[in-house]
């Protein structure tokens, strides 16, 4: 009689082994982030100053930022440094995620997953960069220029961090639109013709998203809505070269080929 477990026992052992591997890879990812954080911590003040530079340049001469919380001068730079540490360790974290899920993927799924992960990270970073280098200077200059007479603009560092994080996430997700469009078309979830037909709704939705996730000024809303629309068009343009063709066995396989205009 074989001692090899079968049936429910085998499934239970497999499930437990997956949980153990998941825990191991999560711990490795956390350790990597903590190591980078410890290396960056001596420069926490400088890292926060770099993040605050767009606002500080827009403030009137003699104006500064303030900390209304007793622990804010320590915790806020620590949060910013933790965010920087996570971004630096992100390639290793993504590698751990990939190593965990890759054994369970088919060959064509592996071919799709890796480019999607890499392009998603790149486009998210581009969105954050666009917010930092383009949106922040224009928006902060606009706000500082419209301060009423006798009112000095002095922003709390914790509220500034919350604002910056919201904008980073909003623009980072916005720049993921081309990746989402291409994946939807390639997996056959929706056709390119259908995505073209809803272009008008996407444009309206872009301005609604801009109104929700940006400050209540038309400049910031336009700087989120217009890139969102243009990135959607970029996704449609790239998706022209992606189509889903049937396999011989009745399933679907993905082949890259030029789609008819």
């Amino acid at each position: 009689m074989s001692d090899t477990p079968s049936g429910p026992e085998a499934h239970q052992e497999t499930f437990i082994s997956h949980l153990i591997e998941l825990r191991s890879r999560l711990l490795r990812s956390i350790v990597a982030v903590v190591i980078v954080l410890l290396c960056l911590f001596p420069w926490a003040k400088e890292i926060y100053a770099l993040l605050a530079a767009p606002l500080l340049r827009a403030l009137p001469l003699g104006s500064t930022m303030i900390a209304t919380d007793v622990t804010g001068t320590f915790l806020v730079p620590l949060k910013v440094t933790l965010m920087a540490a996570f971004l630096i360790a992100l390639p290793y974290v993504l590698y751990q995620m990939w190593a965990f899920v890759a054994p369970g993927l088919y060959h064509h799924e592996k071919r799709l997953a890796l480019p999607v992960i890499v392009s998603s990270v790149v486009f998210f970073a581009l969105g954050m960069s666009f917010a930092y280098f383009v949106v922040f200077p224009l928006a902060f200059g606009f706000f500082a220029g419209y301060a009423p007479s006798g009112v000095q603009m002095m922003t709390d560092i914790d509220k500034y961090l919350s604002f910056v994080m919201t904008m980073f996430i909003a623009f980072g997700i916005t720049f993921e639109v081309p990746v989402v469009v291409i994946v939807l078309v390639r997996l056959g979830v929706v056709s390119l013709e259908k995505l073209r037909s809803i272009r008008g709704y996407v444009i309206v939705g872009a301005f609604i998203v801009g109104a929700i996730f940006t400050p209540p000024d038309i400049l910031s809303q336009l700087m989120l809505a217009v890139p969102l629309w243009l990135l959607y068009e970029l996704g449609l343009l790239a998706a022209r070269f992606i189509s889903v063709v049937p396999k011989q066995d009745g399933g679907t396989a993905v082949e890259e080929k030029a789609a008819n205009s």
Side-chain angles (χ1 to χ4, degrees), residues 17 22 37 74 81 85 88 91 132 149 165 172 175-176 208:
S17 65
L22 177 60
L37 174 62
F74 172 77
T81 307
I88 293 175
Y132 182 85
S149 178
M165 290 299 297
F175 273 64
E176 298 290 338
I208 294 175

Side-chain angles (χ1 to χ4, degrees), residues 42-257:
W43 295 275
K45 295 180 181 179
E46 289 77 9
I47 294 174
Y48 180 81
L50 183 64
L51 183 69
L55 177 60
L56 294 175
R57 284 194 291 263
L59 290 177
L61 185 63
S63 298
T64 62
M65 301 179 71
I66 61 174
T68 57
D69 190 359
V70 176
T71 60
T73 54
F74 172 77
L75 291 181
V76 173
L78 179 62
K79 293 177 184 178
V80 176
T81 307
L82 178 60
M83 179 182 68
F86 177 75
L87 292 176
I88 293 175
L90 187 58
Y92 181 78
V93 174
L94 291 176
Y95 168 75
Q96 294 298 326
M97 293 173 55
W98 172 253
F100 177 73
V101 302
L105 299 178
Y106 293 107
H107 179 67
H108 69 276
E109 292 175 334
K110 291 181 180 180
R111 291 179 56 190
L112 176 62
L114 190 57
V116 167
I117 292 174
V118 174
S119 59
S120 297
V121 173
V122 171
F123 274 94
F124 196 91
L126 288 175
M128 293 177 61
S129 301
F130 181 79
Y132 182 85
F133 291 106
V134 179
V135 178
F136 289 173
L138 294 176
F140 296 152
F142 175 83
F143 297 146
Y146 275 83
S149 178
V151 176
Q152 188 173 9
M153 185 176 176
M154 301 178 68
T155 304
D156 178 70
I157 59 174
D158 196 17
K159 291 183 178 180
Y160 174 74
L161 177 60
S162 299
F163 172 82
V164 166
M165 290 299 297
T166 300
M167 296 293 283
F168 277 163
I169 293 174
F171 279 89
I173 294 176
T174 296
F175 273 64
E176 298 290 338
V177 168
V179 180
V180 174
V181 171
I182 292 173
V183 169
L184 290 177
V185 173
R186 188 163 185 175
L187 293 180
V189 176
V190 63
S191 66
L192 181 58
E193 291 73 19
K194 181 64 176 180
L195 292 176
R196 286 172 176 167
S197 67
I198 63 172
R199 179 184 282 113
Y201 297 101
V202 171
I203 296 175
V204 174
F207 282 90
I208 294 175
V209 170
I212 293 175
F213 291 100
T214 61
D217 65 283
I218 189 64
L219 179 63
S220 299
Q221 294 173 10
L222 285 174
M223 296 191 73
L224 179 61
V226 173
L228 179 56
W229 169 42
L230 294 178
L231 288 165
Y232 183 77
E233 297 293 339
L234 176 63
L236 293 181
L237 180 63
R240 291 180 58 194
F241 304 97
I242 305 275
S243 63
V244 179
V245 296
K247 290 172 60 177
Q248 297 297 326
D249 57 3
T252 60
V254 179
E255 293 183 357
E256 296 183 5
K257 64 180 182 180

